[in-house]
Amino acid sequence: MPPIVYLDGAYVDRSEALVSVWDHGFLYGDGVFEGIRAYNGRVFKLREHLVRLYNSARSLMITIPVTIDEMEKAVLETCRKNGFVDAYIRLVISRGVGDLGIDPRKCTGHATVVIIADRIALYPPETYEVGLKIVTAATRKNSNDAFSAQVKSLNYLNNILAKLEAIHAGVFEAVMVNRDGYITECTTENIFIVAKGELHTPPVHVGILKGITRDTVMELAEKRGIKVRELPFTAHDVYVAEECFVTGTGAEIIPVVGIDGRTIGSGKPGLMTAQLLADYRALTSQEGTAI
Ligand code: PMP
């Protein structure tokens, strides 16, 4: 059965899930999105993702034509129609159809609303067992006065430039530094380090997306009695960290064992990382909105 896609209020076949070339999401990246995951028949942190989506849209003055409650029902219905119990769900909202000018007022219709539920492309198990090597990107993170990283927008070119650097360096990920020299986040994950037994992650104001996995990991660490601090740090602090990992909805918690040619800690995934991954997986297998 081919995937069924929610498009502007209708459930359509994958082959019919088409958006106009006049859509300002396509022409200008004028839109927002979310990536959500369903585990074992339950959508994890659904409400949190929807609140972030609606806040991203509000920040860009895009009116989503359905309420958050209706959107929640539509996400669950899309999963049901596809028969998925484990899924990666992508919500995309664009400003809608306009003309070739950038003026958002020319998008006189409604915002385009898309919900795709697809099979989750899991990272290979060795990613979690062996860990990743990453680099710091030369491309600077967009500054807060240019564009807020808290808006999960359809314009990911800043991150894509950093991803290209990772690919050319022969590694999987790159971490981006802001113009003050502080570590922000990877191209699609937040970053954590362990220093003197404490867990440190950059604060939102350095220019990061407030990751939902990041929030969850901070809660899980506190439950374990680990001291968690949101603290600006530099590449040097990562070089000398005891452990490092990245977090994201798709990635969950992936250990980082090397950066910029340096070995982090023992060069093997650390104990705190492994404990938090186990806690995170236990949580995702229990919690969530039933499909
Ligand atoms: N930072 C960026 C730039 C992202 O795109 C994402 C989402 N893939 C994250 C962090 C992690 O956010 P979350 O844990 O909410 O998926």
Side-chain angles (χ1 to χ4, degrees):
M1 186 176 65
I4 303 295
V5 176
Y6 173 100
L7 176 61
D8 294 332
Y11 295 92
V12 299
D13 190 88
R14 180 194 190 114
S15 61
E16 288 159 23
L18 304 172
V19 175
S20 165
V21 296
W22 304 98
D23 193 292
H24 277 210
F26 175 69
L27 288 172
Y28 294 113
D30 188 356
V32 296
F33 77 104
E34 272 301 320
I36 315 177
R37 215 163 142 172
Y39 294 86
N40 198 23
R42 275 186 294 269
V43 184
F44 190 62
K45 301 279 180 193
L46 176 55
R47 200 69 188 189
E48 287 82 348
H49 281 281
L50 292 178
V51 167
R52 189 169 68 184
L53 180 77
Y54 278 71
N55 284 341
S56 291
R58 175 180 266 259
S59 180
L60 300 185
M61 299 174 81
I62 293 175
T63 307
I64 301 180
V66 292
T67 66
I68 196 164
D69 290 335
E70 287 164 345
M71 189 72 91
E72 185 170 288
K73 289 198 184 93
V75 168
L76 298 170
E77 185 61 19
T78 307
C79 290
R80 274 195 291 271
K81 284 200 184 304
N82 283 286
F84 287 145
V85 289
D86 294 299
Y88 180 80
I89 303 154
R90 172 61 57 90
L91 273 99
V92 187
I93 313 288
S94 81
R95 200 176 298 273
V97 170
D99 64 14
L100 290 181
I102 198 172
D103 189 341
R105 292 172 303 184
K106 295 290 175 60
C107 300
T108 50
H110 55 80
T112 302
V113 180
V114 174
I115 307 171
I116 305 167
D118 208 347
R119 284 192 175 78
I120 172 90
L122 292 173
Y123 289 77
E126 57 269 23
T127 314
Y128 299 89
E129 288 149 22
V130 180
L132 292 179
K133 290 184 177 145
I134 66 171
V135 289
T136 52
T139 303
R140 288 289 169 267
K141 181 78 186 176
N142 279 337
S143 63
N144 285 322
D145 52 359
F147 190 69
S148 172
Q150 288 206 67
V151 176
K152 198 163 165 59
S153 84
L154 293 185
N155 198 315
Y156 255 50
L157 285 177
N158 189 214
N159 311 46
I160 290 165
L161 288 173
K163 183 76 179 181
L164 284 171
E165 290 190 53
I167 292 165
H168 287 283
V171 297
F172 181 79
E173 251 301 7
V175 68
M176 302 177 81
V177 174
N178 71 14
R179 64 179 177 190
D180 297 320
Y182 291 109
I183 294 284
T184 62
E185 62 183 343
C186 293
T187 66
T188 54
E189 298 96 21
N190 293 111
I191 189 163
F192 287 78
I193 56 170
V194 178
K196 292 197 185 126
E198 293 181 359
L199 193 57
H200 296 174
T201 194
V204 170
H205 71 78
V206 301
I208 62 161
L209 182 74
K210 195 170 183 298
I212 289 160
T213 320
R214 172 184 178 274
D215 286 347
T216 307
V217 166
M218 287 164 71
E219 280 170 26
L220 289 172
E222 271 160 8
K223 274 197 193 136
R224 273 193 174 268
I226 298 165
K227 176 118 180 89
V228 182
R229 296 216 282 166
E230 291 178 85
L231 193 78
F233 56 82
T234 65
H236 166 81
D237 300 299
V238 188
Y239 297 162
V240 300
E242 287 138 35
E243 298 182 33
C244 177
F245 60 83
V246 295
T247 64
T249 296
E252 301 180 317
I253 300 173
I254 299 185
V256 177
V257 295
I259 180 168
D260 296 341
R262 280 88 165 168
T263 299
I264 298 176
S266 65
K268 296 206 168 66
L271 183 63
M272 195 188 291
T273 308
Q275 287 171 335
L276 289 170
L277 178 60
D279 291 354
Y280 186 78
R281 290 203 165 144
L283 189 69
T284 56
S285 70
Q286 292 157 15
E287 224 184 51
T289 311
I291 292 170

